[in-house]
Amino acid sequence: MRHKARSILAVGALLLGGAGVAPVAQAQPAPTASPPTGRAAQPDADEVKVFRADVTQRQVPLLLAAGQDGHELGEQVPEKGTATVEVYLTDQQAQKLGKQGVKLTEHTLSTRAEKRVEEAAEGVFRPYSGRGGLKEEILRTAREHPGLTKVVSIGKTVRGQDILALKLTRHADRTRDGAKPAVLYMSNQHAREWITPEMTRRLMHHYLDNYKKDRRIKKIVDSTELWFVLSANPDGYDHTFADDDNRLWRKNLRDVNGDGRISTGDGVDLNRNFAYKWGYDDEGSSPDPASQTYRGAGPNSEPETRAIDAFQKRIGFTFGINYHSAAELLLYGVGWQVATHTPTTSSTRPSPEPRRTPRSPDTARRSPPSCTPPTARRTATRRTSTAWPCSPPRCRPASPSRTPTRTTRGRRGTAGPSSRSRTTRS
């Protein structure tokens, strides 16, 4: 059997969570994407694989046209020469790029490395639904901490699953939602980014396990509403567990072409479906259903997007973070422009006139990310973070006088979920 490349983030979850052990359980994956009876599945044709591409700056638009996320290319492509970037393609997409002159090599693991990654992931990652899944754990956690937690469904997925949010604060079930300054920890808008719900899950347990042990944590919990959305894309997340060929699925499970099965031309990138500046251009998002960044048929077309949008408007979050696991970036809303200055430690408000540039999304990827986030303010601020498996590489302290870094306010064609609290996307 061919050994498919798997992200080192599988091991990274263990590194990130090693300091605090949270309960783990092995779940039974739900068969979320079985083809209709009597129709043969064709998983190989639609399987997304990992490739490495040696590209010049002139070839970057070819990758974007093939549906790649510009901020996941992983390397700054120089004006002269080539850079090696990681891309996610079906065999058909790879063949087309090859004919266009892009040199591609499928990234595979040795038998030994494959075994090591699988052993590291055993008992850590599990689906959303099914026995031992994240949904079951969220409900069980609320039952075990009745004075501090409550669970609400913020809406349904395209396949009818509840998107659960856990509220953590003193007297959670007796206080009005949004009565205290509220913080949102959200993850897994992109289905394949397995490490992100694990980060949010462990953070949730960190607060609960140390509430009676750490005075600082008790003060935070008593005076603040902490909300945890472990998966903003339960259908897509379950789909990545249903079959090895689905492991790199990114979008939700919208059957775009209505043929009764989920394949390359299906699904919507939920992080590009929000109504604000929807469809601003075809650089930050795509009108092509086969693209990894397909923005959907219309603004807020997906029930998952509408659920998050309504949830944020109802609570009115003071701060929020949306975890992703690619590109090694800190992105600040509002995320529809490129090449804007990084917010300094004195302010997190967007510039009134974003700087515009005709260059590709890599324009904003000029130097390493800042290690120090800006000071939190009592205005609604939303941040998207991409997860590192260990320490961020080449970090330097933040400085108010710094020139723009890879910490950026987003990219064109992406936007936040509401006028009060917005997010950028990776």
Side-chain angles (χ1 to χ4, degrees), residues 272 274-281 285 295 334-336 412-416:
R272 284 161 175 79
F274 292 111
Y276 186 78
K277 299 291 183 181
W278 181 89
Y280 178 78
D281 64 17
S285 65
R295 56 182 173 250
V334 178
W336 55 274
R412 291 188 230 164
T414 64

Side-chain angles (χ1 to χ4, degrees), residues 176-196:
R176 178 179 57 83
D177 294 347
K180 303 175 185 177
V183 176
L184 174 63
Y185 298 100
M186 184 170 69
S187 47
N188 196 223
Q189 277 192 312
H190 291 148
R192 64 190 177 207
E193 297 171 8
W194 284 8
I195 196 175
T196 63

Side-chain angles (χ1 to χ4, degrees), residues 368-382:
S370 164
C371 293
T372 308
T375 304
R377 299 170 63 88
R378 290 301 298 272
T379 55
T381 302
R382 192 82 195 282

Side-chain angles (χ1 to χ4, degrees), residues 75-131:
E75 281 281 343
Q76 173 189 325
V77 181
E79 292 186 11
K80 296 183 179 180
T82 63
T84 301
V85 299
E86 193 170 86
V87 292
Y88 304 89
L89 305 163
T90 64
D91 286 332
Q92 184 178 6
Q93 291 170 327
Q95 290 169 7
K96 182 177 179 180
L97 282 172
K99 291 178 180 178
Q100 293 173 320
V102 178
K103 183 181 178 182
L104 293 166
T105 304
E106 185 179 351
H107 180 44
T108 60
L109 296 180
S110 66
T111 302
R112 182 178 179 183
E114 179 86 4
K115 182 179 180 182
R116 184 169 66 249
V117 169
E118 289 180 352
E119 289 175 350
E122 182 69 26
V124 176
F125 301 110
R126 79 298 299 268
Y128 182 81
S129 62
R131 181 168 56 86

